[in-house]
Amino acid sequence: MSLYISAAEYDYHTLLKVAEMAGLAGIIGFHEAGDGYLVTFPDSENAEALINDYKKRLRDLENNIWMH
């Protein structure tokens, strides 16, 4: 499964950091796609849950940065 993320929302280093925080470093892939990134997750029964967790961690990181 894949998730498209606009480069206007998040930079590449943030995407990598969140992958590390989620324990997904080396499991998911990052590919440039036009004006953003395509984040690919392994095809499995829990792929949707992994994507949702990843998106939640991105939002949590963003909220944490802007709250301080």
Side-chain angles (χ1 to χ4, degrees):
M1 293 188 81
S2 298
L3 171 66
Y4 175 80
I5 298 178
S6 170
E9 291 182 70
Y10 300 103
D11 66 15
Y12 181 74
H13 298 289
T14 300
L15 299 178
L16 286 176
K17 184 63 177 174
V18 171
E20 289 174 3
M21 292 169 29
L24 296 171
I27 297 172
I28 60 177
F30 299 92
H31 313 280
E32 287 187 34
D35 60 348
Y37 304 98
L38 193 60
V39 184
T40 56
F41 292 78
D43 289 328
S44 65
E45 291 181 12
N46 66 340
E48 190 76 34
L50 289 175
I51 290 172
N52 290 335
D53 181 54
Y54 187 79
K55 290 190 309 187
K56 181 184 179 308
R57 288 173 185 265
L58 278 173
R59 285 189 305 271
D60 289 349
L61 180 65
E62 181 179 340
N63 290 336
N64 194 21
I65 289 171
W66 292 111
M67 292 177 87
H68 297 288

